[in-house]
Amino acid sequence: MSEKIIILDFGSQVTQLIGRRLRELNIYCEIYPFNKVPALDGSVKGVILSGSPCSVRDANAPQIDLGGIKGQYPLLGICYGAQYLAHKFGGRVEGSLAREYGRAMLEVKDAGSPLLKGLSARSQVWMSHGDTISALPEGARVIASTESVDNAAFSFEGEPTFAVQFHPEVFHTTEGSKILANFAFGICGCTGDWTPDSFIETTVAALREQLGDDKVILGLSGGVDSTVAGVLLNQAIGHNLTCIFVNNGLLRKNEYEDVLASYRDMNLNVIGADASEDFLSELAGVTEPEAKRKIIGRLFVETFNKYALQIEGARWLAQGTIYPDVIESAGIEGIASKIKSHHNVGGLPEKMNLRIVEPLRMLFKDEVRRVGRALGIKEELVGRHPFPGPSLAVRVIGDITKEKLDVLREADDIFIKGLRSYDCTSLHLPSASDPRVEATNLYDAIWQAGVILLPIKSVGVMGDERTYENPVALRAVISTDAMTADWFHLPYDFLAQVSNDIINKVKGVNRVVYDISSKPPATIEWE
């Protein structure tokens, strides 16, 4: 990359947001644990120190040697990063004096500061700290304050080092993106040349150099990550890429056939692996959610292995790993817990002596979609909602049968088609897959949606007869990363129409309910 900003992570739960905000400004950045600082070269335009759940006053607080950074590169400390700069260089950080959590009003004290250029005299910021900086180091001066915190933002004289005790990266800091833009463009001198087109150009060239004439295997799922990875690899190596799309018998209505056809229309060399009977046979009578997941995971690997081992000369296994997976897998020992591991197809690389290639490993989810659009991939694939790995198995509560799956598929099809066809332009909702544009239908405004078939019967009346059939639950949420999610406020007229359509058209369903639980405490899926 021609230029980048390095973010050093001290364990904050919102460190990824710093990276995402910079990427939204077309600025390339990389996140590293504070104790694994990379070698800094001429491509590094600046460094950001993140927040942390720790206190700089703790004996075991994260420490970092800033000898080759402070004064040498533009530097911005955020929350813990600001307190660390104050503490490390002779200031004073104390607890219990002026704790601030949540919204606060920032007052600019130095409108001439390059970090605060163009900011309103007063604006809302988001605080989250128990310590406060009670005295600044020698050579530092205040540039902004809040009612409770005098040293809410400060800078060091004679060098491009700045610090803020609030979080400019979060949504509730109303002019936070402007602060980050001031740092990146005005202080670091970034040009903002990180675009989908530039990523495609450099990535395709790098893949050609890395892979040469080797053969590569990729497991497609129908999701945006594997699809974009497949198209990038196809541009780089053509038919040396073989894709495998496994039908586990748990996909949505017509999904296997439709997605397979879409991949072939995109000239991907794809093999359809229909193992639906094997999956349904082994899942018969299984009700415990974790047991379902283990069976599905094992059978997927076995099916994938069966087809992959038939591809002679394969040297690489491609994966749709994205940047949050990489960051969360790295973690920070003792500070940030490991959330998930890489999504390897377990056992296959070892059995076939395959090397791993991950063309999307430096992209966030919204960037994957932007790249997909730049590649010309159809919107129905690029904007597709996340779908659970175990598929509909976690949306049929209890044991799984073909009959139950068929009922769920019909109800789900009505719900999803209804979301796609409902005109929501008058509601002025942002698109979940690209918040910079306005959604034209409910599907695009929602992060994830689906139907759950409940394992109970409820009484109903149809015509002159009483019925005793299943209820289904509708689920629709908004989120940015699936770590947290809020239920989506679907319009009442839409809910009424969908409920009516499902009950009238899906035999076996006589009641529709809507799940209005957020995550936490609930999860997005029911199992």
Side-chain angles (χ1 to χ4, degrees):
M1 301 301 164
S2 59
E3 60 180 30
K4 61 187 173 186
I5 289 178
I6 297 298
I7 302 167
L8 299 179
D9 182 16
F10 289 89
S12 169
Q13 294 298 308
V14 292
T15 298
Q16 285 190 33
L17 280 179
I18 305 172
R20 290 189 61 192
R21 296 294 174 261
L22 291 174
R23 297 280 185 92
E24 288 169 1
L25 297 168
N26 292 332
I27 295 166
Y28 182 70
C29 60
E30 294 178 358
I31 300 174
Y32 292 90
F34 75 94
N35 54 358
K36 297 179 182 177
V37 181
L40 304 185
D41 55 27
S43 69
V44 177
K45 308 296 281 186
V47 177
I48 295 177
L49 309 179
S50 84
S52 173
C54 302
S55 167
V56 295
R57 299 177 298 111
D58 292 343
N60 59 349
Q63 302 284 325
I64 183 173
D65 180 6
L66 294 173
I69 299 175
K70 184 176 179 291
Q72 307 300 310
Y73 292 88
L75 179 62
L76 174 62
I78 294 175
C79 197
Y80 178 91
Q83 293 166 0
Y84 186 79
L85 286 171
H87 177 74
K88 183 75 173 177
F89 295 97
R92 187 165 63 250
V93 177
E94 299 180 89
S96 72
L97 288 179
R99 293 172 179 261
E100 279 198 333
Y101 296 96
R103 294 173 177 84
M105 291 304 297
L106 186 75
E107 293 188 15
V108 173
K109 300 297 185 181
D110 180 6
S113 169
L115 187 69
L116 306 181
K117 181 179 179 181
L119 255 68
S120 305
R122 284 173 55 86
S123 63
Q124 177 181 285
V125 297
W126 187 261
M127 293 283 192
S128 180
H129 60 90
D131 291 345
T132 194
I133 299 168
S134 56
L136 294 179
E138 184 176 349
R141 61 188 180 87
V142 178
I143 58 175
S145 304
T146 70
E147 183 179 349
S148 302
V149 177
D150 290 336
N151 302 310
F154 60 95
S155 62
F156 284 77
E157 298 281 2
E159 63 181 73
T161 300
F162 301 83
V164 295
Q165 283 210 74
F166 54 90
H167 287 274
E169 69 272 26
V170 303
F171 173 78
H172 299 293
T173 297
T174 54
E175 297 187 1
S177 290
K178 189 177 292 186
I179 293 171
L180 292 175
N182 284 340
F183 178 71
F185 294 119
I187 297 168
C188 297
C190 293
T191 59
D193 60 357
W194 171 251
T195 64
D197 287 337
S198 68
F199 172 82
I200 292 167
E201 182 180 351
T202 57
T203 301
V204 168
L207 287 170
R208 285 174 179 158
E209 182 176 350
Q210 179 184 14
L211 302 174
D213 292 326
D214 289 350
K215 291 185 178 180
V216 179
I217 303 170
L218 169 67
L220 292 172
S221 67
V224 62
D225 298 339
S226 66
T227 299
V228 173
V231 174
L232 277 171
L233 284 160
N234 189 51
Q235 284 201 6
I237 62 173
H239 269 62
N240 274 342
L241 170 69
T242 300
C243 304
I244 299 173
F245 182 38
V246 175
N247 180 13
N248 58 15
L250 304 165
L251 302 175
R252 284 171 154 158
K253 184 178 180 180
N254 299 327
E255 185 170 24
Y256 178 63
E257 297 79 9
D258 291 347
V259 173
L260 201 57
S262 294
Y263 284 147
R264 286 171 175 156
D265 286 344
M266 294 156 62
N267 294 316
L268 291 180
N269 179 23
V270 58
I271 296 171
D274 189 352
S276 53
E277 291 187 6
D278 295 336
F279 279 80
L280 293 181
S281 175
E282 291 221 25
L283 287 168
V286 179
T287 60
E288 204 275 318
E290 190 58 27
K292 291 182 188 178
R293 290 176 182 272
K294 288 180 178 178
I295 290 170
I296 292 166
R298 173 177 57 80
L299 286 175
F300 177 83
V301 170
E302 291 175 2
T303 304
F304 195 94
N305 285 354
K306 173 184 174 183
Y307 285 85
L309 289 167
Q310 297 173 17
I311 301 169
E312 295 184 2
R315 296 287 178 266
W316 299 81
L317 175 68
Q319 297 185 156
T321 306
I322 63 175
Y323 202 30
D325 302 328
V326 176
I327 298 167
E328 290 163 358
S329 296
I332 300 176
E333 190 69 30
I335 299 177
S337 62
K338 185 178 290 188
I339 298 171
K340 66 177 100 170
S341 299
H342 277 354
H343 303 304
N344 287 351
V345 181
L348 185 62
E350 293 78 12
K351 283 188 177 183
M352 296 185 66
N353 194 28
L354 294 177
R355 298 163 68 186
I356 301 295
V357 57
E358 298 168 319
L360 307 179
R361 66 179 283 109
M362 300 309 293
L363 296 186
F364 290 102
K365 175 72 79 173
D366 50 345
E367 293 175 315
V368 175
R369 289 193 168 103
R370 289 174 63 194
V371 168
R373 292 183 177 106
L375 286 166
I377 300 173
K378 291 188 292 187
E379 187 62 30
E380 61 204 64
L381 288 173
V382 175
R384 186 174 187 258
H385 288 178
F387 191 58
S391 308
L392 297 182
V394 293
R395 294 182 182 174
V396 173
I397 310 302
D399 67 311
I400 298 170
T401 66
K402 184 178 182 303
E403 292 71 27
K404 289 181 179 180
L405 287 166
D406 287 341
V407 169
L408 179 56
R409 287 190 181 103
E410 293 300 326
D412 181 83
D413 188 56
I414 291 171
F415 184 40
I416 297 301
K417 285 181 176 176
L419 292 172
R420 290 188 182 278
S421 63
Y422 189 96
D423 184 349
C424 70
T425 51
S426 63
L427 303 177
H428 303 294
L429 299 170
S431 169
S433 65
D434 189 349
R436 299 168 303 167
V437 302
E438 197 169 284
T440 58
N441 61 69
L442 287 176
Y443 184 90
D444 291 342
I446 291 168
W447 166 270
Q448 187 170 338
V451 178
I452 300 92
L453 181 65
L454 304 183
I456 58 175
K457 299 282 189 178
S458 70
V459 68
V461 177
M462 290 187 179
D464 295 327
E465 297 181 0
R466 291 170 68 84
T467 61
Y468 197 56
E469 296 177 330
N470 290 93
V472 295
L474 310 182
R475 185 76 161 132
V477 300
I478 50 174
S479 181
T480 55
D481 53 14
M483 299 299 293
T484 61
D486 289 325
W487 63 278
F488 187 85
H489 292 238
L490 287 171
Y492 287 162
D493 62 328
F494 172 80
L495 286 170
Q497 184 62 54
V498 165
S499 174
N500 187 66
D501 287 347
I502 290 175
I503 291 171
N504 285 337
K505 297 176 182 178
V506 182
K507 187 176 181 180
V509 175
N510 67 353
R511 190 180 299 270
V512 174
V513 300
Y514 187 43
D515 182 348
I516 58 170
S517 310
S518 293
K519 176 184 179 181
T523 53
I524 295 176
E525 298 296 338
W526 279 43
E527 283 192 345

